[in-house]
Amino acid sequence: MAEVVVLFLTLCVQLLALPIYVLSYLGIWEPFCKKKFFPFFLEKFTVDYNQKMLRQKQDLFRNMMEFADPSGKLTVLEIGTGTGSNFQFFPPNCRVICTDPNPHFQERLAKSMVQNKHLEYGQFITTSGEALSQVPDASVDVVVSTLVLCSVKNVEAVLREVCRVLKSGGAFYFLEHVTADHSSWSFFWQRIYSPTWKLLFDGCYLTRETWADIEKASFSEIKLQHIHVPLQWTPIQPHIIGYAVK
């Protein structure tokens, strides 16, 4: 009976979003989403998200300088940089390499760079997290991923690339929304929203157990917490936060 209810409500949500499904079928939605809708949405969303997550982000990135090289220089690679919403939390004078598969973020990213002159910036690389071939092996001290692993095509492949580019003893910092407890109402609604959510928000999955992928990756130490983020009326409240050391 529960499965029937889930299916019925899923179809109701899809019916409400029917115009977007039609545009997707015609090949119109995805280009529009990548170029216009998603960059605009993410810029607005991350302002609210950073306000709600200010303390958690400050605490997460507080110890980044512990992973600097012996000369005190810190090189950070951010996967899925988007609008640059994490820049304000990075330590002064670190060098940031920005990557994102969507080139249409660059205008908003440039604005964030101007607002965060305490950092040095490398080249923007248009690539996915699974394909970081332009970044040499063992060349960065820290890799950062926030609200990114939900939408990559292959989490395991991304984490392999993270381990490849990290120096020995380097750290991977993450803050990701994940699936809710399977006995909860949150998971019930995640299942209902999932197909339409993925279409609306550029391939974002609601029910990934990302912590399991991190635990299976080649890290020597993992500090990971499950938290509940105060994002009312959204299905992305369950999060994981922490860092893993190579």
Side-chain angles (χ1 to χ4, degrees):
M1 183 63 181
E3 292 300 318
V4 174
V5 173
V6 168
L7 178 60
F8 172 74
L9 291 176
T10 300
L11 291 173
C12 289
V13 171
Q14 290 175 317
L15 184 61
L16 290 172
L18 184 60
I20 294 175
Y21 277 93
V22 172
L23 291 175
S24 177
Y25 178 77
L26 295 174
I28 297 171
W29 172 252
E30 185 175 354
F32 173 77
C33 178
K34 288 184 180 296
K35 187 173 182 179
K36 297 290 186 181
F37 171 73
F38 194 58
F40 172 80
F41 165 79
L42 197 61
E43 183 178 40
K44 303 303 180 186
F45 170 78
T46 53
V47 171
D48 181 60
Y49 186 81
N50 275 350
Q51 289 174 347
K52 288 182 167 63
M53 296 295 290
L54 179 64
R55 182 182 59 80
Q56 289 90 340
K57 280 197 171 187
Q58 287 174 335
D59 289 344
L60 174 63
F61 297 121
R62 194 180 305 279
N63 70 335
M64 282 179 72
M65 286 306 298
E66 293 179 10
F67 299 98
D69 67 22
S71 69
K73 293 288 186 180
L74 183 73
T75 300
V76 177
L77 169 69
E78 183 164 24
I79 298 172
T81 307
T83 62
S85 62
N86 289 322
F87 290 166
Q88 62 183 291
F89 302 103
F90 294 168
N93 301 318
C94 72
R95 180 172 179 266
V96 183
I97 302 168
C98 303
T99 75
D100 202 288
N102 188 344
H104 301 295
F105 280 118
Q106 290 193 56
E107 181 180 343
R108 291 169 172 85
L109 183 61
K111 186 164 64 175
S112 291
M113 289 176 173
V114 170
Q115 294 170 346
N116 291 276
K117 294 182 178 179
H118 65 292
L119 304 176
E120 300 174 14
Y121 299 100
Q123 178 187 5
F124 177 88
I125 304 173
T126 304
T127 189
S128 67
E130 297 96 331
L132 301 174
S133 59
Q134 295 183 59
V135 184
D137 295 358
S139 62
V140 300
D141 305 296
V142 165
V143 177
V144 172
S145 165
T146 64
L147 303 184
V148 171
L149 297 181
C150 56
S151 58
V152 300
K153 290 184 173 61
N154 188 322
V155 178
E156 184 180 349
V158 173
L159 294 174
R160 280 199 301 269
E161 281 290 82
V162 168
C163 290
R164 179 185 65 79
V165 303
L166 273 176
K167 297 176 183 177
S168 178
F172 171 54
Y173 284 78
F174 53 86
L175 175 60
E176 301 285 348
H177 72 80
V178 294
T179 186
D181 184 281
H182 286 197
S183 64
S184 67
W185 279 108
S186 294
F187 181 67
F188 174 81
W189 288 107
Q190 281 181 336
R191 292 179 63 198
I192 290 164
Y193 291 135
S194 189
T196 302
W197 189 272
K198 182 184 174 186
L199 178 63
L200 280 173
F201 299 111
D202 203 16
C204 174
Y205 286 82
L206 289 174
T207 56
R208 282 186 169 169
E209 298 180 351
T210 308
W211 67 87
D213 294 296
I214 294 173
E215 289 168 353
K216 288 188 293 187
S218 302
F219 295 111
S220 63
E221 179 186 359
I222 300 173
K223 296 185 181 297
L224 183 152
Q225 287 181 292
H226 288 259
I227 61 173
H228 198 76
V229 174
L231 296 171
Q232 283 78 16
W233 311 109
T234 77
I236 61 168
Q237 294 179 346
H239 275 50
I240 56 170
I241 185 172
Y243 64 93
V245 180
K246 180 179 174 181

